[in-house]
Amino acid sequence: MIEPVQLPSPWRDVRLTVVVPTYNEAGNLPTLVERLLALPLPGLKVLVADDNSPDGTGEVADKLAIEHPERIEVVHRPGKEGLGRAYVDGISRALDGGAEYVAQMDADLSHPPEALPGMLGALLSTQAGVVIGSRYVPGGELDENWPLYRRALSGWANLYVHTLLRVRIRDLTAGFKIWRADALRDIGLERVQSNGYSFQVEMHYLATKLGHTILEVPIRFEERRDGDSKMTTATKIESALMPFKLRTRHRHIER
């Protein structure tokens, strides 16, 4: 586990909301929340967007919110509608709640919470609209226990999307990042239609088309601690078709 960067005031006091979509993550969520709230970021809040998880993740989140009423918010969604819809809902609520910066991360402990202060520092010290915790820039790492087929799928997906969309990001499918609130408002979440992991690609594509600087910093990506991957055949098909749709859907968007 890395040691979190100690940011100077007033950087460490900014209003940062971490949006965490969940579906059957009852075993991971308490550990994730504990690590997030231990960070030297007193302005950090956690927004859990749960898709009515049958394993009781929503109830676990409610208990955590009772224990930390000023720092945890729970959104109970009606059912499993996809990662993209959960993120749009959660990020929209974070912006409406006054967040100056919004982070995205998975609930499965694959993304190191301790990297957030350093990522925030990188964002605040540059003109970037978003900072990505990247697996594929120099210094980035993949857990040695990550299955070979997942490595191959991830590498192929990045190459495929790069070829079709010409977006200069090494980790196009990354789900760990911090956005400036004004960049998110400029993108306009109402434009985003992707419903699976291609949500990440669509957000990066829109940010690029609108001229926002995207910065990648290295992280170590861990294999999930508990539960099962949410990657399905339908998700893979959507992700494969999405670059073609994006080129048509957003062809008129430019700064």
Side-chain angles (χ1 to χ4, degrees):
M1 188 181 298
I2 63 172
E3 191 69 24
V5 170
Q6 298 288 329
L7 296 177
S9 184
W11 285 10
R12 64 171 172 259
D13 301 315
V14 300
R15 296 192 301 275
L16 169 66
T17 298
V18 182
V19 177
V20 183
T22 56
Y23 186 78
N24 287 349
E25 297 289 357
N28 292 316
L29 187 62
T31 301
L32 175 62
V33 167
E34 180 183 5
R35 289 169 64 180
L36 284 169
L37 297 187
L39 295 175
L41 298 173
L44 181 148
K45 295 184 177 180
V46 181
L47 190 154
V48 178
D50 184 65
D51 275 5
N52 196 23
S53 299
D55 75 340
T57 302
E59 289 78 3
V60 171
D62 285 337
K63 291 178 182 178
L64 292 168
I66 291 171
E67 294 172 10
H68 306 279
E70 301 300 318
R71 302 194 69 186
I72 299 178
E73 178 182 354
V74 183
V75 177
H76 293 282
R77 292 164 43 76
K80 189 176 182 182
E81 298 177 339
L83 182 69
R85 297 305 91 201
Y87 263 132
V88 167
D89 193 354
I91 293 172
S92 298
R93 290 172 187 261
L95 293 174
D96 291 344
E100 299 172 287
Y101 304 91
V102 179
Q104 299 174 228
M105 68 185 307
D106 293 345
D108 61 7
L109 302 176
S110 59
H111 299 144
E114 293 75 20
L116 279 172
M119 292 168 62
L120 179 60
L123 187 67
L124 292 170
S125 61
T126 66
Q127 298 300 311
V130 58
V131 169
I132 296 171
S134 176
R135 298 163 288 185
Y136 301 129
V137 293
E141 296 181 70
L142 287 170
D143 190 323
E144 55 273 9
N145 294 317
W146 214 41
L148 182 60
Y149 80 92
R150 292 287 303 278
R151 292 171 182 259
L153 179 62
S154 178
W156 176 85
N158 273 279
L159 177 62
Y160 174 74
V161 176
H162 271 296
T163 302
L164 291 176
L165 298 183
R166 305 293 184 185
V167 178
R168 291 186 175 181
I169 303 172
R170 293 202 180 190
D171 199 346
L172 268 164
T173 57
F176 188 29
K177 64 199 81 168
I178 303 180
W179 295 88
R180 292 183 186 270
D182 58 359
L184 289 168
R185 293 190 179 98
D186 188 36
I187 287 171
L189 292 170
E190 70 281 356
R191 287 176 172 149
V192 181
Q193 299 180 32
S194 302
N195 195 33
Y197 290 86
S198 55
F199 169 82
Q200 313 294 1
V201 174
E202 185 167 11
M203 290 290 286
H204 295 152
Y205 184 59
L206 285 168
T208 299
K209 292 209 71 175
L210 289 166
H212 293 285
T213 299
I214 300 172
L215 180 64
E216 292 182 86
V217 298
I219 64 159
R220 176 178 169 80
F221 183 88
E222 302 284 349
E223 176 64 301
R224 70 161 42 247
R225 302 288 182 85
D226 187 77
D228 300 315
S229 171
K230 310 303 187 296
M231 181 72 72
T232 65
T233 300
T235 299
K236 294 173 185 176
I237 293 172
E238 184 205 17
S239 298
L241 296 175
M242 188 53 60
F244 296 99
K245 294 180 180 179
L246 292 181
R247 290 195 302 188
T248 301
R249 181 185 302 161
H250 302 309
R251 65 184 180 278
H252 300 305
I253 293 176
E254 59 183 29
R255 181 169 290 283

